[in-house]
Amino acid sequence: MLPSSSWGKRKPRSQRLGWVRCDARGNMWARQEGLRQPHPHPHALIRCPSSSSSSVSCSGDSEEEDMGLLEVGVTDIKPPAPELGPMPDGLSPQQVVRRHILGSIVQSEGSYVESLKRILQDYRNPLMEMEPKALSARKCQVVFFRVKEILHCHSMFQIALSSRVAEWDSTEKIGDLFVASFSKSMVLDVYSDYVNNFTNAMSIIKKACLTKPAFLEFLKRRQVCSTDRVTLYGLMVKPVQRFPQFILLLQDMLKNTPRGHPDRLSLQLALTELETLAEKLNEQKRLADQVAEIQQLTKSVSDRSSLNKLLTSGQRQLLLCETLTETVYGDRGQLIKSKERRVFLLNDMLVCANINFKGQLEISSLVPLGPKYVVKWNTALPQVQVVEVGQDGGTYDKDNLLIQHAGAKKATAAGQAQNKVYLGPPRLFQELQDLQKDLAVVEQITLLISTLHGTYQNLNMTVAQDWCLALQRLMRVKEEEIHSANKCRLRLLLPGKPDKSGRPISFMVVFITPNPLSKISWVNRLHLAKIGLREENQPGWLCPDEDKKSKAPFWCPILACCVPAFSSRTLSLQLGGLVHSPVNSPLLGFSAVSTSLPQGYLWVGGGQEGAGGQVEIFSLNRPSPRTVKSFPVAAPVLCIEYIPDPEEEAEGAEESRAATDPSVTVHPTVCLGLQDGSILLYGSVDTGTQCLATCKSPGPQPVLCLRHSPFYLLAGLQDGTLAAYPRTSGDIPWDLESPPMCITVGPGPIRTLLSLEDAAWASCGPRVTVLDAATLQTQQSFEAHQDEAVSVTHMVKAGSGVWMAFSSGSSIRLFHTETLEHLQEINIATRTTFLLPGQKHLCVTSLLICQGLLWVGTDQGVIVLLPVPRLEGIPKITGKGMVSLNGHCGPVAFLAVAMSILAPDILRSDQEEAEGPQAEEDKPDGQAHETVPGPDSHTARELTRKKGILLQYRLRSTAHLPGPLLSVREPAPADGSALEHSEEDGSIYEMADDPDVWVRSRPCARDAHRKEICSVAIISGGQGYRHFGGAPGGLSGRAAPCSETDSTLLIWQVPLAL
């Protein structure tokens, strides 16, 4: 790859690349690889500067450092406009679509190049030539930094694109052109410079608009004269957005490119290159924005203050920054005032600032205005607590704490006397408790009514049971109100100055977030930022290739906890495997969902050689896992496979809804493979973890690995046999009673299996056999390693590639899933040498790919993290990677992922919920008014006076509400079945003082396609715990929870992908 410093310099013939060509005179022109034209394009001839020149000067500009890049005369480059010829006859539908996508690429690129030219011709050049100057030459250079170089890159790309379009109908290839054009380091360099400078450029433009009327008038005039009325900002933001646009177009092209097409692998590689480029630019933009925000905040703080010293120390990372609405409530919950605040979450502190917009607002249409801040308060992160509406106060000591509202100047005498906690919304939790007490009273009344001997109007068992049902409905509605009040309301308990008696005072701040997603983001990041301050995460990761530079803990997975894998310490049990069984718990509160580990259960299997096995089940429905069940099995567990419900697996989009809909019964199973050849099938935890079926493998042979596909449960055995158990439609998903289909893969053990969409891969020794997923017929096999003594031990898939690890050696290899081509090889040892000095032999013992990261576990207990693309491209290693300072004392036995999807209704705001039943409210309520009530059905009967809650008869339909339907007909049958709802139902209860209390409903169908939010944790298993950065055997200075020989789980939490 051509380094940026060599761009434009002469190169020996052997070092020429496909994009540019130099002759002996130093002239350069574009050349596409494989281009038929033998002569350079006449309009692309560009004179290179002398190779010794390190700077380029142009008329009116001061000299600028150019990193060896070309000074391009824009008007000299006039590539021919790419044009597709008439469509030939006989094209397939996919070929027609591909032509249309190519046309979109051509049109999009032409529009982009024109926008770049407009920046230079309509803005930069006139500003440079203007007298008197509205903007100095030096500032012009900063504002338009690297625009010419970006234009040069895309002008060269357009020349090659023209030729490729001209020959499209004969070749139909474009992926290799993107790879050749945008894999150059020069492209990353110029775009990086531009993106890093973008915030600074906008700042100069904004300041010039405020201080120089001539410049502001120039921008207005240019915008008015343009045909599309796009502002300078609108033009300059296009390079930031360019690569995501390319990615979308290439994704469409790949979807319409069949397997075996000569362009398919090139398109996948092109997607990889563009995604890598976009990711790097996004990260640089994020860091630049973070620095700019901290600088803007620092300007608002006195130079001598302690906060200024903290902000300027260079050790603060900005984790989250957003404009929230602070609200102040009275003691009855009424809203007193609200004001927008800018809230900054740094890695170790929380800062709240007033927003102060000053200056001419008319320029905001030309360039985004940045506000000035006035810091209101700041506090250390460990002292910040999130308190939810209805929380019982267990997280803080009310007796030794005075809660003062942030809006009050001082705590009132009444507040001190009553020790009030300002909840914001009207005492919802207290009202719920009152309803619970009232229900208990009504249930006692019901028992008394059942003892009556006479018959009395509206005093019988049917009415009494209706009272109970109505109160239960009110409780459900109140619970939903509490849940809703938490969705966009962020309540923080912050430390204040103690009062005169030395009693600590805390004050409550209530922020309204723009949407529930924002609330989830704040709660999740506050929680993880606190974990990131623990000793084991300071630092938790190192980058060996960047002078052992430590990474900010928050931007990496954060070590959340370290737990023993087995509750029994008497036996030395070895780990065999681990799976996560996701189960959404509807009982968890809003904050618990945002902070807990992925909901569900961990199944951990293991055993002792020559003895029995053990299965341990952990619950993850809280920030730290706890054991809920443990049971022995006949032999050591060698492998575990989680098998979701077939419908859940087939309809991924329905997964979250099925988990929350009680009418859908989902029965996932967990399959264990034992050393004695047994295969055990268990039901999930919520169905009692009973053993559903068991069988012995042919032989019987030890079961080394298990994988499921839509057609079979596949078991890899010690003698090289692949046993396939077909899927059934009964209660037990696999036919374990009949003899399995057996395929001999090789003479040695099958160490690992991989299930793909249309194929299954099985490894035996150094060879991998590819079988058809439906018929299990061998399609082909290939040699993954040249050494016959080496075995393939691990295979993981991402995108269109499979990474493999081997029984010896420290290298991992990447193979293409379609062509089986060997694409990349990475030596893990080079990334761990600084952590393990003198360690010559290293072996990879586990692999995992999750959310764009390849996790690699080694026999030394070290865990390496390598970035890979997330899209449909090739999962090539695209960065230098990181090494975890937290690891095991022995080999990493396995790496597993725990993932659950947040229930969709959590993401619905109050407004969306209110809109849902509004359609029902607008319908004619004729059915309800047609009912014929009893003689005294409108007579109000006061049942309780507490809090003004009054249950009374109302003629109003509540059929859409949660819970069982109400009835005034005959008492419920003795079998306890639900009461019947009929047309004659006129006894509908509701709260008299709040007629709209029923305006809550179930999630609408339109919310079904909302983007899913995944909670992710990574679990590693191995012997003991070790911190490589300091003294071994301690978490946060505490004793490690297990010895060096105990089987241990390390759990990393990943920030929610929002």
Side-chain angles (χ1 to χ4, degrees):
M1 185 176 290
L2 184 64
S4 58
S5 57
S6 305
W7 178 257
K9 297 180 183 179
R10 300 182 186 181
K11 281 280 184 184
R13 193 171 194 79
S14 61
Q15 297 181 27
R16 288 183 198 160
L17 291 174
W19 201 9
V20 292
R21 199 159 108 197
C22 295
D23 61 13
R25 295 172 296 175
N27 293 327
M28 177 179 289
W29 60 86
R31 182 183 69 88
Q32 175 198 350
E33 285 185 315
L35 211 61
R36 297 174 182 173
Q37 299 166 346
H39 302 293
H41 194 283
H43 298 293
L45 191 61
I46 304 165
R47 185 72 182 176
C48 281
S50 167
S51 60
S52 62
S53 170
S54 61
S55 63
V56 179
S57 62
C58 60
S59 59
D61 270 69
S62 58
E63 289 197 344
E64 63 177 280
E65 185 185 355
D66 75 319
M67 298 171 57
L69 296 166
L70 282 175
E71 176 71 13
V72 183
V74 178
T75 54
D76 295 335
I77 301 178
K78 295 178 181 177
E83 287 186 11
L84 268 170
M87 189 179 298
D89 297 330
L91 294 183
S92 68
Q94 279 190 326
Q95 287 178 305
V96 173
V97 173
R98 281 170 58 83
R99 278 179 64 93
H100 285 309
I101 297 170
L102 179 65
S104 298
I105 291 173
V106 169
Q107 182 183 6
S108 170
E109 184 65 10
S111 173
Y112 179 59
V113 169
E114 286 303 313
S115 296
L116 294 173
K117 289 180 179 178
R118 278 176 61 182
I119 295 174
L120 297 175
Q121 294 170 355
D122 294 355
Y123 289 93
R124 181 191 183 277
N125 295 347
L127 284 171
M128 293 294 297
E129 297 165 1
M130 189 182 294
E131 291 294 343
K133 291 191 179 299
L135 202 65
S136 69
R138 186 183 62 81
K139 287 183 178 178
C140 274
Q141 170 209 325
V142 175
V143 168
F144 302 105
F145 186 55
R146 294 293 182 234
V147 175
K148 288 194 290 185
E149 288 80 7
I150 292 175
L151 175 58
H152 172 65
C153 291
H154 286 270
S155 297
M156 297 292 100
F157 176 64
Q158 245 190 347
I159 294 172
L161 185 61
S162 299
S163 172
R164 193 58 60 93
V165 167
E167 57 191 29
W168 175 258
D169 292 315
S170 58
T171 61
E172 279 200 24
K173 288 189 70 176
I174 196 171
D176 58 333
L177 175 60
F178 276 91
V179 174
S181 300
F182 297 110
S183 61
K184 307 287 187 291
S185 62
M186 187 270 288
V187 177
L188 177 62
D189 290 339
V190 294
Y191 267 97
S192 295
D193 288 346
Y194 183 86
V195 167
N196 293 341
N197 182 65
F198 184 78
T199 303
N200 189 27
M202 292 301 108
S203 176
I204 292 174
I205 293 174
K206 181 184 70 176
K207 191 172 181 180
C209 286
L210 295 172
T211 58
K212 296 186 177 182
F215 181 72
L216 179 60
E217 188 59 33
F218 170 77
L219 292 186
K220 288 181 179 178
R221 193 169 61 250
R222 285 295 175 185
Q223 183 190 1
V224 171
C225 293
S226 63
T227 55
D228 51 12
R229 300 297 178 93
V230 176
T231 62
L232 174 60
Y233 172 80
L235 292 171
M236 292 192 67
V237 81
K238 290 193 175 190
V240 180
Q241 303 166 338
R242 186 58 190 146
F243 291 107
Q245 293 168 348
F246 269 150
I247 288 171
L248 291 174
L249 290 166
L250 287 190
Q251 281 180 311
D252 287 341
M253 185 71 87
L254 183 60
K255 286 176 186 174
N256 291 279
T257 304
R259 287 194 171 198
H261 193 286
D263 199 28
R264 188 167 171 86
L265 177 58
S266 298
L267 283 172
Q268 290 168 338
L269 289 169
L271 261 180
T272 299
E273 294 293 346
L274 291 174
E275 185 187 349
T276 304
L277 196 55
E279 283 287 336
K280 289 179 179 177
L281 294 176
N282 284 343
E283 178 65 9
Q284 292 181 0
K285 181 74 166 62
R286 184 188 65 77
L287 291 173
D289 290 344
Q290 171 186 311
V291 170
E293 281 284 2
I294 292 181
Q295 287 177 347
Q296 188 74 8
L297 181 62
T298 307
K299 291 176 184 177
S300 65
V301 183
S302 169
D303 293 341
R304 298 182 181 180
S305 69
S306 57
L307 178 59
N308 185 282
K309 293 177 182 177
L310 290 172
L311 291 174
T312 55
S313 65
Q315 298 177 350
R316 300 289 172 294
Q317 288 92 28
L318 183 65
L319 307 185
L320 191 58
C321 175
E322 193 173 15
T323 300
L324 306 178
T325 303
E326 183 180 358
T327 55
V328 178
Y329 296 92
D331 58 350
R332 294 187 179 180
Q334 73 275 23
L335 181 64
I336 298 176
K337 65 176 181 178
S338 65
K339 189 173 183 180
E340 285 191 339
R341 311 283 189 200
R342 191 72 169 172
V343 186
F344 301 84
L345 174 60
L346 304 175
N347 58 304
D348 62 351
M349 67 193 308
L350 190 68
V351 181
C352 176
N354 289 333
I355 302 173
N356 184 18
F357 280 100
K358 286 186 177 179
Q360 303 172 31
L361 292 178
E362 61 175 317
I363 76 164
S364 61
S365 62
L366 299 171
V367 62
L369 272 173
K372 293 184 178 179
Y373 304 125
V374 178
V375 173
K376 194 170 187 284
W377 52 259
N378 65 281
T379 187
L381 207 54
Q383 298 173 311
V384 178
Q385 293 185 56
V386 177
V387 182
E388 292 293 9
V389 176
Q391 195 168 352
D392 58 5
T395 56
Y396 55 89
D397 185 2
K398 284 186 177 179
D399 295 333
N400 298 314
L401 197 61
L402 180 63
I403 307 295
Q404 176 184 330
H405 198 279
K409 296 295 182 184
K410 60 181 180 179
T412 61
Q416 292 179 8
Q418 300 175 20
N419 193 21
K420 289 183 179 177
V421 178
Y422 293 83
L423 293 181
R427 300 172 296 273
L428 295 173
F429 191 62
Q430 183 62 46
E431 291 175 359
L432 178 61
Q433 289 179 325
D434 290 342
L435 286 171
Q436 290 170 339
K437 293 175 184 175
D438 293 345
L439 179 61
V441 173
V442 171
E443 286 173 345
Q444 292 176 1
I445 295 172
T446 305
L447 290 175
L448 291 173
I449 290 175
S450 68
T451 63
L452 292 173
H453 296 288
T455 302
Y456 306 95
Q457 186 178 7
N458 289 331
L459 195 60
N460 53 52
M461 283 299 293
T462 303
V463 172
Q465 287 171 344
D466 273 358
W467 291 346
C468 292
L469 289 173
L471 279 167
Q472 288 169 359
R473 286 189 169 212
L474 285 175
M475 288 167 59
R476 285 192 185 92
V477 169
K478 194 61 62 180
E479 287 169 350
E480 287 192 1
E481 284 184 332
I482 291 172
H483 186 63
S484 177
N486 285 330
K487 285 186 177 180
C488 294
R489 192 167 277 106
L490 180 65
R491 302 170 70 249
L492 302 177
L493 192 64
L494 308 172
K497 295 180 180 179
D499 60 8
K500 294 179 181 178
S501 64
R503 188 181 181 191
I505 295 180
S506 288
F507 62 95
M508 189 80 73
V509 182
V510 182
F511 292 110
I512 305 298
T513 61
N515 50 60
L517 205 59
S518 171
K519 162 73 181 292
I520 290 175
S521 179
W522 277 99
V523 175
N524 178 257
R525 278 154 174 72
L526 277 165
H527 171 72
L528 292 182
K530 288 183 181 180
I531 297 178
L533 293 175
R534 295 177 186 169
E535 183 181 338
E536 61 268 22
N537 290 313
Q538 292 288 332
W541 299 86
L542 290 182
C543 293
D545 292 340
E546 297 179 10
D547 301 322
K548 301 182 183 180
K549 182 180 178 182
S550 65
K551 295 289 283 186
F554 189 79
W555 302 115
C556 316
I558 299 170
L559 183 64
C561 53
C562 168
V563 295
F566 300 104
S567 52
S568 172
R569 305 276 186 103
T570 54
L571 296 173
S572 179
L573 299 174
Q574 302 299 311
L575 288 167
L578 177 146
V579 292
H580 175 244
S581 171
V583 179
N584 281 342
S585 171
L587 302 177
L588 285 184
F590 193 84
S591 279
V593 170
S594 308
T595 58
S596 69
L597 294 165
Q599 295 177 49
Y601 300 92
L602 289 183
W603 290 60
V604 184
Q608 191 176 26
E609 189 71 33
Q614 184 81 10
V615 175
E616 199 91 8
I617 302 177
F618 294 87
S619 168
L620 295 185
N621 294 335
R622 52 188 64 198
S624 58
R626 61 187 176 92
T627 303
V628 293
K629 193 175 180 67
S630 178
F631 58 89
V633 289
V637 179
L638 300 183
C639 53
I640 310 183
E641 175 80 344
Y642 170 72
I643 304 163
D645 181 76
E647 295 179 5
E648 178 184 343
E649 197 173 20
E651 302 175 18
E654 301 289 331
E655 183 173 348
S656 58
R657 277 179 287 168
T660 56
D661 187 350
S663 66
V664 179
T665 54
V666 178
H667 297 294
T669 53
V670 174
C671 196
L672 309 180
L674 307 188
Q675 194 170 40
D676 65 355
S678 298
I679 296 176
L680 311 178
L681 195 65
Y682 284 85
S684 59
V685 172
D686 53 347
T687 56
T689 62
Q690 73 272 26
C691 187
L692 303 177
T694 179
C695 72
K696 287 281 188 179
S697 66
Q701 287 286 325
V703 183
L704 302 185
C705 50
L706 288 166
R707 282 291 179 271
H708 76 280
S709 73
F711 310 99
Y712 298 99
L713 174 66
L714 303 173
L717 307 182
Q718 177 79 38
D719 63 352
T721 300
L722 179 66
Y725 299 87
R727 188 183 283 275
T728 63
S729 57
D731 294 336
I732 299 173
W734 311 103
D735 181 8
L736 298 183
E737 296 181 358
S738 306
M741 182 189 301
C742 293
I743 300 100
T744 302
V745 176
I750 298 179
R751 302 284 295 272
T752 181
L753 292 167
L754 187 64
S755 178
L756 306 182
E757 290 179 6
D758 55 356
W761 290 23
S763 77
C764 185
R767 296 193 67 80
V768 174
T769 302
V770 181
L771 307 142
D772 183 85
T775 64
L776 294 183
Q777 296 295 318
T778 300
Q779 294 179 337
Q780 54 190 317
S781 66
F782 64 98
E783 195 173 76
H785 200 282
Q786 64 278 8
D787 190 346
E788 289 293 330
V790 172
S791 297
V792 178
T793 54
H794 298 86
M795 295 189 289
V796 291
K797 174 188 177 289
S800 301
V802 173
W803 279 101
M804 296 185 188
F806 304 93
S807 56
S808 66
S810 57
S811 292
I812 55 175
R813 295 183 179 184
L814 172 66
F815 292 86
H816 192 217
T817 56
E818 298 170 17
T819 65
L820 310 182
E821 186 179 340
H822 178 204
L823 300 175
Q824 193 178 21
E825 182 167 357
I826 296 291
N827 186 4
I828 300 300
T830 59
R831 288 160 168 79
T832 61
T833 49
F834 76 100
L835 212 58
L836 301 168
Q839 183 67 40
K840 295 182 180 179
H841 302 290
L842 192 76
C843 184
V844 176
T845 56
S846 50
L847 283 181
L848 173 72
I849 285 185
C850 178
Q851 290 193 338
L853 294 172
L854 174 62
W855 294 67
V856 184
T858 66
D859 60 347
Q860 301 299 315
V862 178
I863 295 171
V864 180
L865 209 54
L866 299 165
V868 292
R870 299 168 183 249
L871 302 179
E872 311 91 307
I874 306 298
K876 293 175 65 177
I877 303 296
T878 56
K880 299 177 180 179
M882 300 176 293
V883 177
S884 174
L885 290 177
N886 297 292
H888 296 279
C889 303
V892 181
F894 56 72
L895 288 161
V897 61
M899 183 181 298
S900 70
I901 297 172
L902 270 63
D905 60 326
I906 286 179
L907 305 179
R908 302 181 66 205
S909 64
D910 291 349
Q911 182 180 356
E912 289 174 307
E913 286 191 355
E915 286 173 358
Q918 191 64 43
E920 290 187 45
E921 294 295 324
D922 293 339
K923 290 179 183 177
D925 205 11
Q927 289 183 345
H929 289 290
E930 288 171 5
T931 59
V932 181
D936 292 330
S937 61
H938 291 281
T939 305
R941 292 192 173 273
E942 184 172 321
L943 301 177
T944 175
R945 293 186 178 276
K946 278 195 175 183
K947 303 296 180 188
I949 296 176
L950 178 66
L951 298 182
Q952 63 185 19
Y953 291 111
R954 288 288 179 88
L955 294 177
R956 186 170 179 182
S957 173
T958 58
H960 66 284
L961 290 176
L965 300 170
L966 302 182
S967 173
V968 291
R969 303 193 75 190
E970 295 299 319
D975 62 3
S977 61
L979 293 167
E980 185 183 354
H981 184 66
S982 69
E983 290 183 4
E984 290 79 15
D985 180 8
S987 303
I988 305 299
Y989 299 88
E990 57 184 41
M991 286 179 63
D993 62 345
D994 189 2
D996 292 325
V997 74
W998 301 118
V999 187
R1000 301 284 174 204
S1001 74
R1002 291 281 136 215
C1004 313
R1006 68 184 177 197
D1007 292 307
H1009 303 291
R1010 184 183 294 275
K1011 181 184 176 184
E1012 293 173 337
I1013 307 299
C1014 290
S1015 174
V1016 178
I1018 306 296
I1019 302 100
S1020 72
Q1023 290 182 350
Y1025 164 75
R1026 178 181 178 188
H1027 191 275
F1028 293 93
L1035 270 168
S1036 296
R1038 305 183 300 271
C1042 36
S1043 71
E1044 292 186 5
T1045 57
D1046 285 342
S1047 294
T1048 306
L1049 303 180
L1050 299 183
I1051 301 180
W1052 281 268
Q1053 204 162 346
V1054 180
L1056 286 179
L1058 301 173

